[in-house]
Amino acid sequence: MTLEELHDAECEFTRNLLCGMIEQAVEDLRSEKVFVSKQMNAHQEIDRDTALHFIRSKAFQGICDVLSLPADKIKTKALKYESRD
């Protein structure tokens, strides 16, 4: 593998990782699962709170800018599942 190929692979990996973070945040906000376990419900609520914080953060906007992703559309889609808004 050449240095250029290695660089391209690293860039693709980073892009996929960041896109995966965004997709997971949206999915965490969309989840309506109810568990028998109080602990699992508590973990899910933490995931939702973390996702909400991420979607509203400057980091999210910066990631979308760098990756040329439509931040407003993603944010609108994610937040429409958030009942606290």
Side-chain angles (χ1 to χ4, degrees):
M1 182 177 276
T2 68
L3 287 177
E4 184 176 338
E5 291 171 331
L6 179 60
H7 178 264
D8 290 347
E10 288 173 347
C11 288
E12 185 67 21
F13 172 79
T14 302
R15 179 181 177 80
N16 290 339
L17 180 66
L18 294 171
C19 287
M21 288 172 54
I22 292 169
E23 290 169 359
Q24 186 62 53
V26 172
E27 197 59 37
D28 286 347
L29 289 171
R30 291 178 63 180
S31 179
E32 295 180 7
K33 294 179 187 174
V34 177
F35 298 97
V36 175
S37 163
K38 288 181 182 179
Q39 184 178 13
M40 290 297 293
N41 287 322
H43 285 305
Q44 182 175 4
E45 190 60 29
I46 291 169
D47 290 346
R48 288 178 58 79
D49 289 344
T50 303
L52 185 60
H53 179 75
F54 173 66
I55 292 292
R56 291 179 170 165
S57 72
K58 290 180 183 177
F60 169 77
Q61 184 64 52
I63 290 168
C64 289
D65 290 348
V66 168
L67 298 178
S68 299
L69 298 173
D72 290 339
K73 287 182 180 180
I74 295 168
K75 189 179 289 189
T76 299
K77 179 181 177 182
L79 296 180
K80 82 177 188 180
Y81 298 101
E82 181 50 45
S83 61
R84 291 173 277 189
D85 282 288

mmCIF file with all atom_site columns, all heavy atoms in Angstrom, residues 6-28:
data_model
loop_
_atom_site.group_PDB
_atom_site.id
_atom_site.type_symbol
_atom_site.label_atom_id
_atom_site.label_alt_id
_atom_site.label_comp_id
_atom_site.label_asym_id
_atom_site.label_entity_id
_atom_site.label_seq_id
_atom_site.pdbx_PDB_ins_code
_atom_site.Cartn_x
_atom_site.Cartn_y
_atom_site.Cartn_z
_atom_site.occupancy
_atom_site.B_iso_or_equiv
_atom_site.pdbx_formal_charge
_atom_site.auth_seq_id
_atom_site.auth_comp_id
_atom_site.auth_asym_id
_atom_site.auth_atom_id
_atom_site.pdbx_PDB_model_num
ATOM 1   N N   . LEU A 1 6  ? -2.719  4.716  1.804  1.00 0.00 ? 6  LEU A N   1
ATOM 2   C CA  . LEU A 1 6  ? -2.860  4.667  3.255  1.00 0.00 ? 6  LEU A CA  1
ATOM 3   C C   . LEU A 1 6  ? -3.593  5.912  3.766  1.00 0.00 ? 6  LEU A C   1
ATOM 4   O O   . LEU A 1 6  ? -4.515  5.817  4.583  1.00 0.00 ? 6  LEU A O   1
ATOM 5   C CB  . LEU A 1 6  ? -1.490  4.536  3.923  1.00 0.00 ? 6  LEU A CB  1
ATOM 6   C CG  . LEU A 1 6  ? -1.488  4.485  5.447  1.00 0.00 ? 6  LEU A CG  1
ATOM 7   C CD1 . LEU A 1 6  ? -2.294  3.292  5.948  1.00 0.00 ? 6  LEU A CD1 1
ATOM 8   C CD2 . LEU A 1 6  ? -0.065  4.428  5.969  1.00 0.00 ? 6  LEU A CD2 1
ATOM 9   N N   . HIS A 1 7  ? -3.201  7.066  3.260  1.00 0.00 ? 7  HIS A N   1
ATOM 10  C CA  . HIS A 1 7  ? -3.866  8.320  3.637  1.00 0.00 ? 7  HIS A CA  1
ATOM 11  C C   . HIS A 1 7  ? -5.348  8.283  3.264  1.00 0.00 ? 7  HIS A C   1
ATOM 12  O O   . HIS A 1 7  ? -6.208  8.649  4.070  1.00 0.00 ? 7  HIS A O   1
ATOM 13  C CB  . HIS A 1 7  ? -3.175  9.510  2.966  1.00 0.00 ? 7  HIS A CB  1
ATOM 14  C CG  . HIS A 1 7  ? -3.824  10.813 3.278  1.00 0.00 ? 7  HIS A CG  1
ATOM 15  N ND1 . HIS A 1 7  ? -4.755  11.391 2.438  1.00 0.00 ? 7  HIS A ND1 1
ATOM 16  C CD2 . HIS A 1 7  ? -3.709  11.635 4.349  1.00 0.00 ? 7  HIS A CD2 1
ATOM 17  C CE1 . HIS A 1 7  ? -5.182  12.518 2.978  1.00 0.00 ? 7  HIS A CE1 1
ATOM 18  N NE2 . HIS A 1 7  ? -4.557  12.696 4.136  1.00 0.00 ? 7  HIS A NE2 1
ATOM 19  N N   . ASP A 1 8  ? -5.649  7.827  2.059  1.00 0.00 ? 8  ASP A N   1
ATOM 20  C CA  . ASP A 1 8  ? -7.043  7.745  1.618  1.00 0.00 ? 8  ASP A CA  1
ATOM 21  C C   . ASP A 1 8  ? -7.839  6.783  2.504  1.00 0.00 ? 8  ASP A C   1
ATOM 22  O O   . ASP A 1 8  ? -8.985  7.060  2.852  1.00 0.00 ? 8  ASP A O   1
ATOM 23  C CB  . ASP A 1 8  ? -7.127  7.298  0.158  1.00 0.00 ? 8  ASP A CB  1
ATOM 24  C CG  . ASP A 1 8  ? -6.640  8.363  -0.816 1.00 0.00 ? 8  ASP A CG  1
ATOM 25  O OD1 . ASP A 1 8  ? -6.473  9.534  -0.401 1.00 0.00 ? 8  ASP A OD1 1
ATOM 26  O OD2 . ASP A 1 8  ? -6.413  8.016  -1.991 1.00 0.00 ? 8  ASP A OD2 1
ATOM 27  N N   . ALA A 1 9  ? -7.231  5.669  2.861  1.00 0.00 ? 9  ALA A N   1
ATOM 28  C CA  . ALA A 1 9  ? -7.897  4.688  3.720  1.00 0.00 ? 9  ALA A CA  1
ATOM 29  C C   . ALA A 1 9  ? -8.158  5.269  5.104  1.00 0.00 ? 9  ALA A C   1
ATOM 30  O O   . ALA A 1 9  ? -9.232  5.061  5.688  1.00 0.00 ? 9  ALA A O   1
ATOM 31  C CB  . ALA A 1 9  ? -7.057  3.412  3.819  1.00 0.00 ? 9  ALA A CB  1
ATOM 32  N N   . GLU A 1 10 ? -7.188  6.002  5.642  1.00 0.00 ? 10 GLU A N   1
ATOM 33  C CA  . GLU A 1 10 ? -7.365  6.633  6.947  1.00 0.00 ? 10 GLU A CA  1
ATOM 34  C C   . GLU A 1 10 ? -8.465  7.696  6.898  1.00 0.00 ? 10 GLU A C   1
ATOM 35  O O   . GLU A 1 10 ? -9.271  7.802  7.823  1.00 0.00 ? 10 GLU A O   1
ATOM 36  C CB  . GLU A 1 10 ? -6.053  7.240  7.427  1.00 0.00 ? 10 GLU A CB  1
ATOM 37  C CG  . GLU A 1 10 ? -5.030  6.208  7.838  1.00 0.00 ? 10 GLU A CG  1
ATOM 38  C CD  . GLU A 1 10 ? -3.665  6.797  8.154  1.00 0.00 ? 10 GLU A CD  1
ATOM 39  O OE1 . GLU A 1 10 ? -3.420  7.985  7.826  1.00 0.00 ? 10 GLU A OE1 1
ATOM 40  O OE2 . GLU A 1 10 ? -2.843  6.073  8.731  1.00 0.00 ? 10 GLU A OE2 1
ATOM 41  N N   . CYS A 1 11 ? -8.526  8.467  5.827  1.00 0.00 ? 11 CYS A N   1
ATOM 42  C CA  . CYS A 1 11 ? -9.574  9.477  5.676  1.00 0.00 ? 11 CYS A CA  1
ATOM 43  C C   . CYS A 1 11 ? -10.949 8.818  5.575  1.00 0.00 ? 11 CYS A C   1
ATOM 44  O O   . CYS A 1 11 ? -11.911 9.287  6.194  1.00 0.00 ? 11 CYS A O   1
ATOM 45  C CB  . CYS A 1 11 ? -9.321  10.347 4.443  1.00 0.00 ? 11 CYS A CB  1
ATOM 46  S SG  . CYS A 1 11 ? -7.936  11.492 4.629  1.00 0.00 ? 11 CYS A SG  1
ATOM 47  N N   . GLU A 1 12 ? -11.035 7.745  4.821  1.00 0.00 ? 12 GLU A N   1
ATOM 48  C CA  . GLU A 1 12 ? -12.297 7.024  4.675  1.00 0.00 ? 12 GLU A CA  1
ATOM 49  C C   . GLU A 1 12 ? -12.736 6.422  6.007  1.00 0.00 ? 12 GLU A C   1
ATOM 50  O O   . GLU A 1 12 ? -13.908 6.482  6.374  1.00 0.00 ? 12 GLU A O   1
ATOM 51  C CB  . GLU A 1 12 ? -12.168 5.926  3.612  1.00 0.00 ? 12 GLU A CB  1
ATOM 52  C CG  . GLU A 1 12 ? -13.461 5.201  3.313  1.00 0.00 ? 12 GLU A CG  1
ATOM 53  C CD  . GLU A 1 12 ? -14.503 6.090  2.647  1.00 0.00 ? 12 GLU A CD  1
ATOM 54  O OE1 . GLU A 1 12 ? -14.165 7.118  2.057  1.00 0.00 ? 12 GLU A OE1 1
ATOM 55  O OE2 . GLU A 1 12 ? -15.695 5.731  2.743  1.00 0.00 ? 12 GLU A OE2 1
ATOM 56  N N   . PHE A 1 13 ? -11.784 5.866  6.748  1.00 0.00 ? 13 PHE A N   1
ATOM 57  C CA  . PHE A 1 13 ? -12.088 5.314  8.071  1.00 0.00 ? 13 PHE A CA  1
ATOM 58  C C   . PHE A 1 13 ? -12.626 6.404  8.996  1.00 0.00 ? 13 PHE A C   1
ATOM 59  O O   . PHE A 1 13 ? -13.645 6.215  9.681  1.00 0.00 ? 13 PHE A O   1
ATOM 60  C CB  . PHE A 1 13 ? -10.837 4.669  8.676  1.00 0.00 ? 13 PHE A CB  1
ATOM 61  C CG  . PHE A 1 13 ? -11.026 4.255  10.112 1.00 0.00 ? 13 PHE A CG  1
ATOM 62  C CD1 . PHE A 1 13 ? -11.703 3.086  10.423 1.00 0.00 ? 13 PHE A CD1 1
ATOM 63  C CD2 . PHE A 1 13 ? -10.549 5.051  11.147 1.00 0.00 ? 13 PHE A CD2 1
ATOM 64  C CE1 . PHE A 1 13 ? -11.892 2.706  11.741 1.00 0.00 ? 13 PHE A CE1 1
ATOM 65  C CE2 . PHE A 1 13 ? -10.739 4.686  12.470 1.00 0.00 ? 13 PHE A CE2 1
ATOM 66  C CZ  . PHE A 1 13 ? -11.405 3.504  12.765 1.00 0.00 ? 13 PHE A CZ  1
ATOM 67  N N   . THR A 1 14 ? -11.964 7.547  9.013  1.00 0.00 ? 14 THR A N   1
ATOM 68  C CA  . THR A 1 14 ? -12.382 8.659  9.870  1.00 0.00 ? 14 THR A CA  1
ATOM 69  C C   . THR A 1 14 ? -13.768 9.152  9.482  1.00 0.00 ? 14 THR A C   1
ATOM 70  O O   . THR A 1 14 ? -14.624 9.381  10.340 1.00 0.00 ? 14 THR A O   1
ATOM 71  C CB  . THR A 1 14 ? -11.358 9.807  9.804  1.00 0.00 ? 14 THR A CB  1
ATOM 72  O OG1 . THR A 1 14 ? -10.081 9.303  10.200 1.00 0.00 ? 14 THR A OG1 1
ATOM 73  C CG2 . THR A 1 14 ? -11.753 10.954 10.717 1.00 0.00 ? 14 THR A CG2 1
ATOM 74  N N   . ARG A 1 15 ? -14.001 9.302  8.196  1.00 0.00 ? 15 ARG A N   1
ATOM 75  C CA  . ARG A 1 15 ? -15.332 9.731  7.717  1.00 0.00 ? 15 ARG A CA  1
ATOM 76  C C   . ARG A 1 15 ? -16.402 8.731  8.151  1.00 0.00 ? 15 ARG A C   1
ATOM 77  O O   . ARG A 1 15 ? -17.452 9.116  8.651  1.00 0.00 ? 15 ARG A O   1
ATOM 78  C CB  . ARG A 1 15 ? -15.326 9.883  6.202  1.00 0.00 ? 15 ARG A CB  1
ATOM 79  C CG  . ARG A 1 15 ? -16.669 10.306 5.646  1.00 0.00 ? 15 ARG A CG  1
ATOM 80  C CD  . ARG A 1 15 ? -16.649 10.432 4.114  1.00 0.00 ? 15 ARG A CD  1
ATOM 81  N NE  . ARG A 1 15 ? -17.942 10.759 3.606  1.00 0.00 ? 15 ARG A NE  1
ATOM 82  C CZ  . ARG A 1 15 ? -18.493 11.966 3.599  1.00 0.00 ? 15 ARG A CZ  1
ATOM 83  N NH1 . ARG A 1 15 ? -17.829 12.994 4.086  1.00 0.00 ? 15 ARG A NH1 1
ATOM 84  N NH2 . ARG A 1 15 ? -19.702 12.172 3.127  1.00 0.00 ? 15 ARG A NH2 1
ATOM 85  N N   . ASN A 1 16 ? -16.141 7.449  7.967  1.00 0.00 ? 16 ASN A N   1
ATOM 86  C CA  . ASN A 1 16 ? -17.107 6.419  8.355  1.00 0.00 ? 16 ASN A CA  1
ATOM 87  C C   . ASN A 1 16 ? -17.367 6.430  9.860  1.00 0.00 ? 16 ASN A C   1
ATOM 88  O O   . ASN A 1 16 ? -18.503 6.253  10.305 1.00 0.00 ? 16 ASN A O   1
ATOM 89  C CB  . ASN A 1 16 ? -16.647 5.035  7.905  1.00 0.00 ? 16 ASN A CB  1
ATOM 90  C CG  . ASN A 1 16 ? -16.717 4.861  6.409  1.00 0.00 ? 16 ASN A CG  1
ATOM 91  O OD1 . ASN A 1 16 ? -17.434 5.576  5.711  1.00 0.00 ? 16 ASN A OD1 1
ATOM 92  N ND2 . ASN A 1 16 ? -15.947 3.924  5.886  1.00 0.00 ? 16 ASN A ND2 1
ATOM 93  N N   . LEU A 1 17 ? -16.319 6.633  10.627 1.00 0.00 ? 17 LEU A N   1
ATOM 94  C CA  . LEU A 1 17 ? -16.447 6.689  12.084 1.00 0.00 ? 17 LEU A CA  1
ATOM 95  C C   . LEU A 1 17 ? -17.325 7.872  12.506 1.00 0.00 ? 17 LEU A C   1
ATOM 96  O O   . LEU A 1 17 ? -18.247 7.724  13.311 1.00 0.00 ? 17 LEU A O   1
ATOM 97  C CB  . LEU A 1 17 ? -15.064 6.794  12.731 1.00 0.00 ? 17 LEU A CB  1
ATOM 98  C CG  . LEU A 1 17 ? -15.029 6.860  14.249 1.00 0.00 ? 17 LEU A CG  1
ATOM 99  C CD1 . LEU A 1 17 ? -15.526 5.561  14.847 1.00 0.00 ? 17 LEU A CD1 1
ATOM 100 C CD2 . LEU A 1 17 ? -13.616 7.146  14.722 1.00 0.00 ? 17 LEU A CD2 1
ATOM 101 N N   . LEU A 1 18 ? -17.060 9.047  11.947 1.00 0.00 ? 18 LEU A N   1
ATOM 102 C CA  . LEU A 1 18 ? -17.837 10.238 12.288 1.00 0.00 ? 18 LEU A CA  1
ATOM 103 C C   . LEU A 1 18 ? -19.288 10.111 11.821 1.00 0.00 ? 18 LEU A C   1
ATOM 104 O O   . LEU A 1 18 ? -20.215 10.487 12.551 1.00 0.00 ? 18 LEU A O   1
ATOM 105 C CB  . LEU A 1 18 ? -17.176 11.484 11.710 1.00 0.00 ? 18 LEU A CB  1
ATOM 106 C CG  . LEU A 1 18 ? -15.808 11.819 12.309 1.00 0.00 ? 18 LEU A CG  1
ATOM 107 C CD1 . LEU A 1 18 ? -15.137 12.944 11.522 1.00 0.00 ? 18 LEU A CD1 1
ATOM 108 C CD2 . LEU A 1 18 ? -15.921 12.178 13.773 1.00 0.00 ? 18 LEU A CD2 1
ATOM 109 N N   . CYS A 1 19 ? -19.492 9.574  10.639 1.00 0.00 ? 19 CYS A N   1
ATOM 110 C CA  . CYS A 1 19 ? -20.863 9.354  10.161 1.00 0.00 ? 19 CYS A CA  1
ATOM 111 C C   . CYS A 1 19 ? -21.582 8.345  11.055 1.00 0.00 ? 19 CYS A C   1
ATOM 112 O O   . CYS A 1 19 ? -22.775 8.504  11.346 1.00 0.00 ? 19 CYS A O   1
ATOM 113 C CB  . CYS A 1 19 ? -20.858 8.878  8.706  1.00 0.00 ? 19 CYS A CB  1
ATOM 114 S SG  . CYS A 1 19 ? -20.438 10.175 7.518  1.00 0.00 ? 19 CYS A SG  1
ATOM 115 N N   . GLY A 1 20 ? -20.864 7.338  11.500 1.00 0.00 ? 20 GLY A N   1
ATOM 116 C CA  . GLY A 1 20 ? -21.440 6.344  12.409 1.00 0.00 ? 20 GLY A CA  1
ATOM 117 C C   . GLY A 1 20 ? -21.853 6.969  13.735 1.00 0.00 ? 20 GLY A C   1
ATOM 118 O O   . GLY A 1 20 ? -22.889 6.604  14.310 1.00 0.00 ? 20 GLY A O   1
ATOM 119 N N   . MET A 1 21 ? -21.062 7.905  14.232 1.00 0.00 ? 21 MET A N   1
ATOM 120 C CA  . MET A 1 21 ? -21.410 8.607  15.468 1.00 0.00 ? 21 MET A CA  1
ATOM 121 C C   . MET A 1 21 ? -22.720 9.375  15.293 1.00 0.00 ? 21 MET A C   1
ATOM 122 O O   . MET A 1 21 ? -23.596 9.343  16.173 1.00 0.00 ? 21 MET A O   1
ATOM 123 C CB  . MET A 1 21 ? -20.299 9.580  15.867 1.00 0.00 ? 21 MET A CB  1
ATOM 124 C CG  . MET A 1 21 ? -19.050 8.937  16.387 1.00 0.00 ? 21 MET A CG  1
ATOM 125 S SD  . MET A 1 21 ? -17.682 10.106 16.626 1.00 0.00 ? 21 MET A SD  1
ATOM 126 C CE  . MET A 1 21 ? -18.411 11.350 17.655 1.00 0.00 ? 21 MET A CE  1
ATOM 127 N N   . ILE A 1 22 ? -22.862 10.039 14.172 1.00 0.00 ? 22 ILE A N   1
ATOM 128 C CA  . ILE A 1 22 ? -24.079 10.807 13.893 1.00 0.00 ? 22 ILE A CA  1
ATOM 129 C C   . ILE A 1 22 ? -25.274 9.865  13.755 1.00 0.00 ? 22 ILE A C   1
ATOM 130 O O   . ILE A 1 22 ? -26.342 10.104 14.340 1.00 0.00 ? 22 ILE A O   1
ATOM 131 C CB  . ILE A 1 22 ? -23.901 11.682 12.643 1.00 0.00 ? 22 ILE A CB  1
ATOM 132 C CG1 . ILE A 1 22 ? -22.874 12.784 12.923 1.00 0.00 ? 22 ILE A CG1 1
ATOM 133 C CG2 . ILE A 1 22 ? -25.232 12.272 12.188 1.00 0.00 ? 22 ILE A CG2 1
ATOM 134 C CD1 . ILE A 1 22 ? -22.420 13.549 11.699 1.00 0.00 ? 22 ILE A CD1 1
ATOM 135 N N   . GLU A 1 23 ? -25.097 8.790  12.999 1.00 0.00 ? 23 GLU A N   1
ATOM 136 C CA  . GLU A 1 23 ? -26.184 7.822  12.821 1.00 0.00 ? 23 GLU A CA  1
ATOM 137 C C   . GLU A 1 23 ? -26.615 7.217  14.155 1.00 0.00 ? 23 GLU A C   1
ATOM 138 O O   . GLU A 1 23 ? -27.813 7.045  14.414 1.00 0.00 ? 23 GLU A O   1
ATOM 139 C CB  . GLU A 1 23 ? -25.754 6.714  11.858 1.00 0.00 ? 23 GLU A CB  1
ATOM 140 C CG  . GLU A 1 23 ? -25.615 7.174  10.428 1.00 0.00 ? 23 GLU A CG  1
ATOM 141 C CD  . GLU A 1 23 ? -24.948 6.149  9.526  1.00 0.00 ? 23 GLU A CD  1
ATOM 142 O OE1 . GLU A 1 23 ? -24.571 5.058  10.005 1.00 0.00 ? 23 GLU A OE1 1
ATOM 143 O OE2 . GLU A 1 23 ? -24.806 6.445  8.332  1.00 0.00 ? 23 GLU A OE2 1
ATOM 144 N N   . GLN A 1 24 ? -25.658 6.907  15.020 1.00 0.00 ? 24 GLN A N   1
ATOM 145 C CA  . GLN A 1 24 ? -25.985 6.328  16.321 1.00 0.00 ? 24 GLN A CA  1
ATOM 146 C C   . GLN A 1 24 ? -26.723 7.327  17.197 1.00 0.00 ? 24 GLN A C   1
ATOM 147 O O   . GLN A 1 24 ? -27.675 6.965  17.902 1.00 0.00 ? 24 GLN A O   1
ATOM 148 C CB  . GLN A 1 24 ? -24.727 5.831  17.037 1.00 0.00 ? 24 GLN A CB  1
ATOM 149 C CG  . GLN A 1 24 ? -25.025 5.085  18.328 1.00 0.00 ? 24 GLN A CG  1
ATOM 150 C CD  . GLN A 1 24 ? -25.853 3.831  18.095 1.00 0.00 ? 24 GLN A CD  1
ATOM 151 O OE1 . GLN A 1 24 ? -25.501 3.001  17.283 1.00 0.00 ? 24 GLN A OE1 1
ATOM 152 N NE2 . GLN A 1 24 ? -26.963 3.708  18.809 1.00 0.00 ? 24 GLN A NE2 1
ATOM 153 N N   . ALA A 1 25 ? -26.332 8.585  17.149 1.00 0.00 ? 25 ALA A N   1
ATOM 154 C CA  . ALA A 1 25 ? -27.020 9.612  17.933 1.00 0.00 ? 25 ALA A CA  1
ATOM 155 C C   . ALA A 1 25 ? -28.475 9.738  17.490 1.00 0.00 ? 25 ALA A C   1
ATOM 156 O O   . ALA A 1 25 ? -29.386 9.792  18.326 1.00 0.00 ? 25 ALA A O   1
ATOM 157 C CB  . ALA A 1 25 ? -26.304 10.958 17.803 1.00 0.00 ? 25 ALA A CB  1
ATOM 158 N N   . VAL A 1 26 ? -28.709 9.756  16.191 1.00 0.00 ? 26 VAL A N   1
ATOM 159 C CA  . VAL A 1 26 ? -30.081 9.832  15.679 1.00 0.00 ? 26 VAL A CA  1
ATOM 160 C C   . VAL A 1 26 ? -30.857 8.588  16.111 1.00 0.00 ? 26 VAL A C   1
ATOM 161 O O   . VAL A 1 26 ? -31.998 8.682  16.576 1.00 0.00 ? 26 VAL A O   1
ATOM 162 C CB  . VAL A 1 26 ? -30.095 9.993  14.138 1.00 0.00 ? 26 VAL A CB  1
ATOM 163 C CG1 . VAL A 1 26 ? -31.510 9.867  13.588 1.00 0.00 ? 26 VAL A CG1 1
ATOM 164 C CG2 . VAL A 1 26 ? -29.479 11.325 13.732 1.00 0.00 ? 26 VAL A CG2 1
ATOM 165 N N   . GLU A 1 27 ? -30.247 7.438  15.994 1.00 0.00 ? 27 GLU A N   1
ATOM 166 C CA  . GLU A 1 27 ? -30.909 6.186  16.386 1.00 0.00 ? 27 GLU A CA  1
ATOM 167 C C   . GLU A 1 27 ? -31.215 6.165  17.883 1.00 0.00 ? 27 GLU A C   1
ATOM 168 O O   . GLU A 1 27 ? -32.289 5.711  18.290 1.00 0.00 ? 27 GLU A O   1
ATOM 169 C CB  . GLU A 1 27 ? -30.028 4.994  16.002 1.00 0.00 ? 27 GLU A CB  1
ATOM 170 C CG  . GLU A 1 27 ? -30.764 3.685  15.981 1.00 0.00 ? 27 GLU A CG  1
ATOM 171 C CD  . GLU A 1 27 ? -31.948 3.654  15.013 1.00 0.00 ? 27 GLU A CD  1
ATOM 172 O OE1 . GLU A 1 27 ? -31.876 4.231  13.926 1.00 0.00 ? 27 GLU A OE1 1
ATOM 173 O OE2 . GLU A 1 27 ? -32.965 3.052  15.390 1.00 0.00 ? 27 GLU A OE2 1
ATOM 174 N N   . ASP A 1 28 ? -30.310 6.661  18.704 1.00 0.00 ? 28 ASP A N   1
ATOM 175 C CA  . ASP A 1 28 ? -30.553 6.717  20.153 1.00 0.00 ? 28 ASP A CA  1
ATOM 176 C C   . ASP A 1 28 ? -31.754 7.602  20.474 1.00 0.00 ? 28 ASP A C   1
ATOM 177 O O   . ASP A 1 28 ? -32.534 7.297  21.377 1.00 0.00 ? 28 ASP A O   1
ATOM 178 C CB  . ASP A 1 28 ? -29.317 7.218  20.901 1.00 0.00 ? 28 ASP A CB  1
ATOM 179 C CG  . ASP A 1 28 ? -28.209 6.187  20.981 1.00 0.00 ? 28 ASP A CG  1
ATOM 180 O OD1 . ASP A 1 28 ? -28.458 4.998  20.684 1.00 0.00 ? 28 ASP A OD1 1
ATOM 181 O OD2 . ASP A 1 28 ? -27.079 6.573  21.339 1.00 0.00 ? 28 ASP A OD2 1
#
